[in-house]
């Protein structure tokens, strides 16, 4: 018998996602963002102006750094989308679906919260 931190799941209970042609394993109910990070994929979009990498940051749907295309639908927050078997994921490349940079932040200290392009400069 396992405890809360153990993973006794077999291959039959896991999901397989595809990210830009790469198979990514996930547990049912795990967020897409968590599955990508667990697979070593930490950035899947870039800011529009500076091309800076972005991925999971806040993990709760506030910052928009983790935007990803899920099954052809762009602008999805990877931290909020539950992983399901067969999902097709692709990188955003700076697009976020609402016309803004989508990184949500000043980011001069490595985090995002107040508009800009992630390089500490307001535009």
């Amino acid at each position: 018998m396992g405890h809360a931190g153990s993973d006794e799941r077999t291959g039959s209970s896991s999901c397989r996602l595809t990210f830009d042609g790469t198979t990514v394993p996930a547990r049912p109910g795990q967020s897409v963002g968590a599955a990508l990070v667990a697979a070593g994929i930490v950035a899947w979009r870039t800011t529009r102006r500076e091309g800076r990498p972005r991925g999971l940051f806040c993990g709760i749907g506030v910052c928009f750094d983790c935007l990803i295309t899920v099954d052809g639908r762009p602008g999805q927050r990877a931290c909020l989308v539950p992983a399901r078997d067969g999902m097709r994921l692709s990188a955003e490349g700076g697009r976020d679906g609402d016309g803004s940079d989508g990184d949500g932040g000043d980011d001069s200290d490595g985090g995002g919260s107040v508009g800009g392009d992630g390089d500490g400069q307001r535009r």
Side-chain angles (χ1 to χ4, degrees):
M1 177 173 187
H3 55 81
S6 70
D7 187 1
E8 295 179 334
R9 296 182 176 121
T10 64
S12 63
S13 66
S14 65
C15 299
R16 296 276 177 217
L17 318 175
T18 304
F19 173 72
D20 287 341
T22 301
T23 300
V24 175
R27 293 183 210 142
Q30 182 179 32
S31 75
V32 166
L36 290 171
V37 170
I41 302 168
V42 297
W44 48 86
R45 75 168 202 94
T46 57
T47 58
R48 187 179 314 167
R49 291 188 189 111
E50 301 293 325
R52 294 174 187 252
R54 292 291 184 261
L56 198 60
F57 178 67
C58 76
I60 59 172
V62 174
C63 74
F64 294 88
D65 273 2
C66 67
L67 294 175
I68 193 166
T69 299
V70 178
D71 292 330
R73 294 180 53 218
Q76 304 301 302
R77 288 177 277 185
C79 67
L80 297 179
V81 176
R84 290 183 319 275
D85 195 40
M87 279 183 146
R88 293 170 294 115
L89 311 170
S90 60
E92 283 285 306
R95 295 182 316 273
D96 64 7
D98 72 357
S100 68
D101 282 341
D103 66 15
D106 171 19
D107 214 31
S108 58
D109 65 350
S113 65
V114 189
D117 187 37
D119 62 0
Q121 302 294 315
R122 293 251 181 202
R123 306 243 192 301

